[in-house]
Amino acid sequence: MHQFAFTSFTHSLEDKEIAIQRLDDEIQSLTARLCFLKSERNTFAITSTLPDEILTKIFATIQAACRNRGFDWNSSSTLQAWLPITHVSRHWRKVALQSSQLWCQIDALPEPAIREFLVRSAGRRLSV
């Protein structure tokens, strides 16, 4: 770790800019190191040791529960309802992205104005 000794009495603008750059570089380095250490720590959590197949089943169960609860046009989409669980960790995100089972049906629902247009133009009720 580097120790910087800068005082407010540094006279040159160039010296101040160099000092700021060095501090910014050190902050960036420490931030990267902290991220790495947190990631390493997370590998020891029990949720990180679950087999990928079990995680995929859990994700699929949550996804199905979100689909089966019904859909309100004024609420967030089904995808937005179940997707946050994949933000728990890098490992969970990787498992979710690699599971074709989770992505074989994509919820892409039109905005209410577009839905109304489609309903009227079709002359029948739009089923989703």
Side-chain angles (χ1 to χ4, degrees):
M1 180 177 290
H2 302 287
Q3 293 294 326
F4 296 104
F6 299 109
T7 66
S8 58
F9 300 110
T10 303
H11 298 288
S12 163
L13 180 59
E14 185 178 328
D15 288 344
K16 287 181 181 181
E17 289 174 356
I18 290 170
I20 289 171
Q21 185 58 52
R22 285 183 184 164
L23 290 169
D24 287 345
D25 291 346
E26 184 70 13
I27 290 169
Q28 185 177 3
S29 174
L30 291 172
T31 301
R33 178 75 177 144
L34 185 59
C35 284
F36 172 78
L37 291 172
K38 285 181 177 182
S39 181
E40 284 295 303
R41 183 183 184 280
N42 287 343
T43 63
F44 294 104
I46 188 117
T47 54
S48 294
T49 61
L50 291 172
D52 293 355
E53 297 80 19
I54 299 294
L55 279 175
T56 300
K57 287 187 183 291
I58 292 169
F59 297 157
T61 301
I62 293 168
Q63 184 186 56
C66 289
R67 280 201 175 100
N68 293 335
R69 72 174 182 177
F71 187 84
D72 176 5
W73 282 98
N74 296 318
S75 72
S76 62
S77 74
T78 303
L79 179 64
Q80 290 171 338
W82 76 268
L83 200 57
I85 197 165
T86 66
H87 299 171
V88 169
S89 69
R90 288 183 183 129
H91 176 67
W92 283 29
R93 184 169 38 257
K94 182 186 88 170
V95 170
L97 289 172
Q98 290 176 344
S99 172
S100 59
Q101 174 186 358
L102 299 174
W103 305 105
C104 62
Q105 179 181 349
I106 306 258
D107 299 317
L109 300 171
E111 293 293 323
I114 296 171
R115 179 176 178 263
E116 182 178 331
F117 172 78
L118 292 173
V119 168
R120 289 178 186 219
S121 66
R124 58 186 163 76
R125 193 164 180 110
L126 180 66
S127 62
V128 179

